[in-house]
Every structure is written in C-alpha cells, then in structure tokens.
Amino acid sequence: MATSQKRLALAVIDFLSKSLTDGTVSSEDAESIEIAKSCIADTFHVDPNDQAALKDAIGDQSLLSIYGVYEKLKGKTSTAPMPGASSSKPTTSTSKASGPTPTSPEAEEFKSQGNKAMQQKDYPKAIDLYTKAINLSPTNPIYLSNRAAAYSASNKHTEACADAELATSADPKYTKAWSRLGLARFVLGDAKGSMEAYQKGIEYEGNGGSEAMKKGYKTAKEKVDQEEKEGGVDDIERAASPRGAGGTSAGGGGMPDLAGLASMLGGGGGGGGMPDLGAMMNNPMFASMAQNMMSNPEALQGLMNNPRLREMAQNFGGGGGGGQGGGMPDISALMSDPSLREAAMNMMGGGGRGAGRGAPQ
C-alpha cells in the first residue's frame, strides 16, 4: 500500500479524534468514532498511537486546516484576486517551510524560472511562472509566498495578501509568508492586521525575531498608536464642541439657551401657564438681567424677595388680566413699577443703588 495513503489514513484518524475532543461531535457519538478509527487503522495497517508516523503525515497541521487551504485555493489557481486580501513586502529571511511541502520536479522548475524573472524585475512573467507551479502544488507555501512577493512588486496588493494568507495557513512556520502578509496589510491600510502578522512572524522565528521582522512590527505599531491617538482627539473635539454651534446654543458668559428650552417645552408661547421664554430672551434687557442673575446670587435672592415679583410669579399660570398668552405678565406694566424697574437696572449692571454689584474688583 502506498505511503501517501497510509499518511492520509492517519490524518483522518487524527481528525476524528480531534472532532471528539473539541466538541465538533457529541460524547454520545464517542463509541461510533472509536469504531471508525479502529476500522481505518485495521484496513490501512496503521497505528494511530504512533506519534512519529502521525507527525510525518501532517506535520504541525491538521486535516481540517489542510482542507481549509484547499477550499481557499479551489477555483483560485489563476491570477484572479481573492476578496478582502492584500499584499506584503519580501524579506531577507532564510527560513524554510516546515513539514511536508507538496511539490514536483516540474513545479520546482517553474519556481526557479519565476525566481529568475523576479531578479530581472519581470513581475508579470514571475507571476505566471509561480502560478504554474501552484497549479501543480496548490498548498506549497513557498510558491504561494513567492507569488505574493511578485504581486506586491506589481502593486497588486490585494492578490499578494491573498497568497500570503494562504501560505501562512499552509505552513505557519514559514516566516517569509508572515512578513509578506504584514507589509501587504500595512499597504492596504490595515495597520493592526499588519502588526499582528509581524508579531506571528517574530514568534515563529524565535529568539526575538529577525531585524527585518521587528522593524516591520515597529512600523505597524507606530501607525496603530497614531490612529488611536487621532481617534481619541476626534472624540474629544466632538465632545467639547458646543451643541448647536453657529446658532444660539449659549448666550454670552455661559448663559443657557432659554429660548431653545422654551421651544423644547412646546414652542414660543407656553400653553397652560408656561411663559413665552423665547420672547423674553430675545429682549436685550431681560437677556442682560438673566446673565447677571446667573453670576450674582445675592442680587438674585434680593430680587426674589420683592413682593411685586412674587405676585407676578404666582400669576404666571393664572391667565389673569393684562397677561399675554399662557399667563405671561405684561412687561410694560411691570416695568412701570419703580421697585421692579430699579431691581432690573441693578441686575443689568446699570445705574441705581446696586450699580456694579458682582463686577470684578
């Protein structure tokens, strides 16, 4: 029996075992899984407990991950781009693909010719040659990574990223693919994804990673930090900007928009006893009074102790004679009252006995 068939049988047994432990199938099916594993082992004459044989069969991968690469490659053995992918920059890493890398003499020849085309900067030719190699060995991470480099050099970053992602899926330990994926994502504006790719490359390289990989990670991280900082500034500016900028959101000296408040409460003239705050705050005299009242608590207290003003407040909701809509007092009649007129002048900061109260010393 061919060795490749035995390897595949071991890969299937490993898949069944992991499907049981990772919850893909329920514990109720455990007996069926064990029977299936036993049948496969007996039929193909393999030992599922032989870890060395299993590692030789699938390396550090699993049948599920290998099939996932196949699914990505299915229908993508031409130069057609894969949605959502990007390109990356070749590095000087000398890392080699680990585990079994499906290949053939003919595929290797196409790869060698593609490398020569890259040296001559004939990128379209290199892409075509690497594609021919991939057609013969679709899951070879070296061919995929090399074509990613050719795509990147041709500014076809989406296609390059697609190949780099496939290469990292086929063999995560092939660090050139992580470097090419990192730069591809960076060029496409995915700084965070780029940083993550370089980080993976550093982890698989070991010993803190190569200088090229660390430089790529540093560049991506600086971009991420910059974007987060700029995003924070935008949030602060939005929070600090006055609501209704360009309108009458606030009066001078921090005066609240009472006219807007009146509108929120049901329009200009408040029905049911609500005074027309909008009309009042459009009156310069009352606007000035209100501003001074906000900054002079003592004067405000004195004003509210005025008997005439208390009577006016009590009549706000009564709709009494002389009042305007909703119980609004007759402003001209009120200001004919000497005591109220003097209080208003004081609140406006004008002449009278209270002139200047609350002003800076």
Side-chain angles (χ1 to χ4, degrees):
M1 185 177 295
T3 302
S4 59
Q5 292 174 328
K6 289 189 174 184
R7 287 175 173 171
L8 180 57
L10 284 170
V12 172
I13 291 173
D14 176 69
F15 166 72
L16 293 174
S17 298
K18 290 180 177 177
S19 296
L20 187 60
T21 57
D22 64 14
T24 301
V25 296
S26 66
S27 58
E28 297 176 354
D29 298 318
E31 184 177 353
S32 298
I33 292 291
E34 292 300 327
I35 292 174
K37 289 166 55 180
S38 179
C39 290
I40 293 172
D42 291 343
T43 302
F44 288 88
H45 306 291
V46 295
D47 181 5
N49 297 317
D50 188 343
Q51 295 300 316
L54 181 61
K55 185 172 181 62
D56 181 60
I58 60 175
D60 295 319
Q61 300 299 304
S62 68
L63 184 61
L64 185 61
S65 65
I66 293 171
Y67 185 74
V69 173
Y70 165 75
E71 284 190 321
K72 289 182 179 180
L73 285 168
K74 186 169 56 178
K76 188 195 171 294
T77 53
S78 65
T79 58
M82 175 175 286
S86 54
S87 84
S88 75
K89 176 183 179 181
T91 68
T92 58
S93 171
T94 58
S95 60
K96 297 180 180 180
S98 64
T101 52
T103 186
S104 68
E106 187 179 2
E108 281 293 299
E109 178 61 26
F110 283 131
K111 184 200 77 170
S112 297
Q113 293 178 18
N115 290 348
K116 291 179 182 178
M118 285 290 288
Q119 293 174 358
Q120 297 168 359
K121 298 184 179 181
D122 189 348
Y123 304 126
K125 182 178 180 180
I127 290 171
D128 180 62
L129 290 166
Y130 289 140
T131 298
K132 291 179 178 179
I134 291 170
N135 287 341
L136 296 172
S137 301
T139 60
N140 188 298
I142 298 174
Y143 303 163
L144 290 165
S145 180
N146 285 4
R147 191 171 69 175
Y151 275 135
S152 180
S154 303
N155 292 321
K156 296 182 178 181
H157 303 298
T158 298
E159 294 90 332
C161 186
D163 279 349
E165 287 179 342
L166 288 170
T168 59
S169 296
D171 186 359
K173 292 185 178 180
Y174 186 56
T175 55
K176 278 187 178 181
W178 287 114
S179 178
R180 287 165 180 163
L181 178 59
L183 185 61
R185 289 176 173 175
F186 187 86
V187 172
L188 292 177
D190 183 8
K192 186 175 181 180
S194 172
M195 185 178 72
E196 292 171 351
Y198 282 121
Q199 179 63 44
K200 283 288 187 182
I202 292 172
E203 292 173 2
Y204 281 111
E205 281 183 338
N207 300 319
S210 64
E211 288 302 316
M213 199 74 77
K214 288 189 290 186
K215 183 177 180 180
Y217 175 83
K218 180 182 178 182
T219 302
K221 187 176 187 304
E222 289 174 350
K223 181 64 174 177
V224 170
D225 293 342
Q226 178 185 348
E227 290 176 349
E228 290 179 349
K229 183 178 180 181
E230 290 175 351
V233 170
D234 290 343
D235 290 341
I236 293 173
E237 289 178 349
R238 282 193 295 268
S241 63
R243 296 178 183 177
T248 57
S249 61
M255 180 61 200
D257 183 7
L258 295 183
L261 176 61
S263 178
M264 290 173 61
L265 292 173
M274 180 64 193
D276 187 354
L277 296 179
M280 289 177 64
M281 294 317 298
N282 286 328
N283 186 306
M285 180 184 70
F286 273 92
S288 179
M289 283 179 60
Q291 181 175 345
N292 281 280
M293 286 168 64
M294 296 290 291
S295 60
N296 192 343
E298 293 182 5
L300 176 60
Q301 182 62 38
L303 186 62
M304 295 309 297
N305 286 333
N306 187 294
R308 184 72 180 90
L309 187 60
R310 282 203 304 271
E311 179 184 353
M312 177 190 72
Q314 292 171 358
N315 290 331
F316 264 4
Q324 297 173 5
M328 181 63 192
D330 187 340
I331 301 299
S332 60
L334 284 174
M335 297 316 298
S336 66
D337 187 307
S339 62
L340 285 181
R341 186 170 60 252
E342 181 181 358
M345 293 298 294
N346 288 337
M347 291 306 302
M348 292 171 64
R353 290 176 296 179
R357 182 176 294 180
Q361 299 295 316

